[in-house]
Amino acid sequence: MKKKWYKKSGIKAFFICLTIVFLVTACVSAGASVYVMSKGVQPLDSRKYVDSESFTDSVYSMSHTILESLKEREILDESSEDDLIDLAELKEGKTLTHKNTSGLAYKAEDLLSWSQGAWDQSTNLLVCRKPDGSNYYMYYSDFADKIITGELKLVFGSDAEMNQEYTKDVLSMLSGEEYSYYDSSYSDTGIRRDSVEYVADADGNIAYTNVWNYESREYNDAALVEKYKPDGADSILDIVNDGTKWKGDISSAYQYLYAALVKYNNAADAEKSLETYAQGKTNLSYLFVDKKSGKVYSNIKSVTADNYEKILDKKMRNSPDPYMIIYPEEQDCETGFTGITDQAVNYWQTMIANVGLADSDYVYAVSVDEDFSVLDRIAQEKIYYDKFAPLLIPMIVIAAVALVLVLAGLVILTLAAGRNNEDQEVHLNFFDRWYTEIAAFLVFGIWIYGVAIMMQVMGSGDMRMAGYLVGIGILGIWSGAWFLTGWLSLVRRIKAGSIWRDSVLRYILLFIRKIFSKFADMIVFLSNNTVSRIKTIVAFGIFVFLLFMSTGLFVGADIPFFLLIFVVTCWVVLYYLLKKAWGREQIQDGLKKITDGDLQYKIPTEKLSGEQKMMADYINHIGEGLDAAVENSLKNERMKTELITNVSHDIKTPLTSIINYIDLLKRENPEDPKIRGYLDVLENKAQRLKVLTEDVVEASKASTGNISLEMTELNFVELVNQVIGEFEEKFEERNLKMVIHFDEEEVIICADGRRLWRVLENVFGNVSKYAMENTRVYVDVKVERPNVQLSLKNISAQPLNISADELTERFIRGDVSRNTEGSGLGLSIAKDLVQLQGGEFNLYLDGDLFKVTIEFEVK
């Protein structure tokens, strides 16, 4: 067997380590590339920052932030601090009239101040149902104060003595300390909502028929804590309870207030954002002009709607700094950015239109100081870009090369998985013998768990590049180790054909099939209505019925009596089952003894009954029949052997005399050629008859095992070579060319040399007699430890119209015309002798191809 270098254990371990190293290198390089690109560097960017795509993207992003902030803070310019802001006008996007048109309005100053704090906190609001069916809203604190002062009173019916205690329970529930809902809750004393008849005023009249906690439908209509009073009222509840304009619609009122506070909060945040883009705080200069309204927004001083063109010429068009000037029409746009495309210009126009600062006639211009004199966001990006840009392409190349090497290592490990240079077997380790799904789940689960932990650690903060790459490297080692564990195990399973054999799914399917098979067997079993089965089913049904009746009568009856019946019934059934089990054991023991050869054994039937006794009688009669048949067979075999031996002896005695007298006649040297010819014929036929007689005796002894073997250690290859030399001349006479191939020069087996020589002589003699002339004979000795096999192949001269099994029977010959000298016993003798020596003898026929194999165990 040719040895492969990659199958060595040391080489495989080296390639596993090397593959993981290359995988870590690829991961670290790829991670470094991603980290660099996250800092704004792109693979195809220019080495100069202001000419890169990253620079253009950053200016675009900053411009988008500026324009959105300008739009968000517009409301601060639309109203002065004392102006009224009608919440309906603001929510519905109408022009602000600075009047209280909807009944719910606040001062602009109050809304701005309110939005800067924790304005989204809610309070406990109660809904009180009036007798006319309308709702009246009240803060819980106000409701509780009125109950305490007696302005309102909870009426609980006729049990007036408990009013004070019940009132505390109801207030506790409405406060939210125990329950969020009063409607369907229980207090500690078990008071229900319908225990309160109504809420009365100080005069005892019905003020409210019911009261419960207000629940907002959405997060933006919660009952907000009021920090400022609305225009013309003490609270928003006064406006809603008034019923003139809002008509009890508390949910909409809170939604409008929530929307106003959100808008002012966003405006305040936008104001702070724009402060970071003020002149002197950034390298970016911008201006936005709404030509229709004349509004100008810019961080450049002294820019107006009249002089902005001069500013564009001075600060941008005639400056070396990169700039962009965007108009509504694409053909009017100007750019000083490198590599900007018409599509990119269209993105800028779409972004400005979506912001909504102007309708259709505007100009937006932006430029960046190329000296980056201010350390702002864009200047920091330039520092990162200049630092990391030269590293990006080399890191990508390293990652690609390392990945190719990983794939190469994986291919080599895949070829070597489960193989070694000692044999052709696929070797599995302990993990490869686990169930396929469990092994896959374990590998994937442990891997994903480790990855999740590392991702959590790496995502816990803004890591520096070194820490980020260390994390990526650890992930690479972890992933590589578990991937190779799973992949190589999968490869070994596929090579060994165990991936489905060891599958949990396969066992489940087999179990299901077994259940269905048992179910089908049960149906077939029950469908055969034999007396025995019907009796068993009826007996079991009676037992179950009695058991059920006994158990049912326990309830409300004389339990000791029925318990006694139950116990007695169980003992009777147990005795019956034990008796049947004992009978089965007796029958089983008898069958075992008869199977082991004790044909005289009789199963005792005295204590058996019914079907078991009948079965034991049948088995005893079978034993008697077998004993008689075996005795008769042995007797016949002895008679055959004695007949063959006696007849052979009787034939050999006159045959020896005939051969001796023929030899004496030939010594007289008869001169007549005819007489000489007759003597030669007589001698050949006599010798053939002698060989036939010896073969018959040998075949008889071999088939009965009546041969004493002298087992010794033999060189099987050397013995085959000697036989080949013995038959070389006979093969040449028939122009048969031998093609010989031996795996090894020496193979030691344990056999009887004289008997094995007879086997080989018979096999090679068979080829010399029956092989087609002018053909090749193939002799192969293959060593596949622990066995060695001799293979002999040739083309038969006569058609082989019989099977291989028939050809090894006695007196059967492939030459049906029987023109050759064979006795028809050679292959039969060879097969019996090989088997007596512990070997295997097989014949294969395929058309005219004749093949014989002899196999022995190597010592």
Side-chain angles (χ1 to χ4, degrees), residues 75 81 83-87 90 105-117 119 228 256-257 260-262 264-265:
I75 190 173
E81 294 180 351
D83 286 340
L84 284 177
I85 304 297
D86 185 271
L87 299 191
L90 186 64
Y106 289 85
K107 286 184 179 181
E109 180 183 14
D110 292 344
L111 289 175
L112 180 60
S113 177
W114 193 352
S115 69
Q116 297 307 293
W119 55 267
Y228 296 94
Y256 281 39
L257 176 59
L261 293 174
V262 169
Y264 271 91
N265 180 264

Side-chain angles (χ1 to χ4, degrees), residues 44-56 322 336-340 370 385:
L44 301 179
D45 274 351
S46 167
R47 292 299 176 88
K48 188 177 179 181
Y49 176 61
V50 293
D51 296 334
S52 68
E53 183 180 347
S54 303
F55 171 74
T56 305
F337 288 173
T338 302
I340 198 75
E370 194 170 352
Y385 187 93

Side-chain angles (χ1 to χ4, degrees), residues 18 83 102 127 150 163 416 464-465 492 530 551 555 616 622 633 797:
L18 198 63
D83 286 340
S102 68
V127 184
N163 280 359
R464 295 185 177 274
M465 186 174 183
R492 288 190 292 268
T530 62
T551 305
V555 182
I622 289 174
S633 176

Side-chain angles (χ1 to χ4, degrees), residues 657-672 675-676 678-680 682-683:
S657 299
I658 293 172
I659 292 173
N660 291 334
Y661 279 108
I662 291 173
D663 182 61
L664 291 175
L665 287 174
K666 292 181 71 174
R667 290 181 182 179
E668 294 297 329
N669 294 320
E671 296 180 358
D672 189 344
I675 296 175
R676 190 80 179 180
Y678 295 154
L679 289 175
D680 290 338
L682 287 174
E683 184 179 25

Side-chain angles (χ1 to χ4, degrees), residues 201-247:
D201 57 17
D203 297 329
N205 299 320
I206 298 176
Y208 309 110
T209 59
N210 199 0
V211 60
W212 66 88
N213 295 91
Y214 171 76
E215 279 292 318
S216 59
R217 292 169 296 181
E218 302 289 343
Y219 70 92
N220 59 350
D221 63 353
L224 298 178
V225 176
E226 295 191 61
K227 293 185 178 180
Y228 296 94
K229 297 179 181 180
D231 180 55
D234 290 333
S235 69
I236 196 171
L237 299 187
D238 293 340
I239 297 172
V240 176
N241 289 330
D242 180 57
T244 55
K245 293 186 177 181
W246 288 87
K247 298 179 182 180

Side-chain angles (χ1 to χ4, degrees), residues 89 194 429 434 526 723 729:
E89 292 177 353
D194 50 14
N429 58 34
W434 289 21
L526 295 177
V723 174
E729 291 184 2

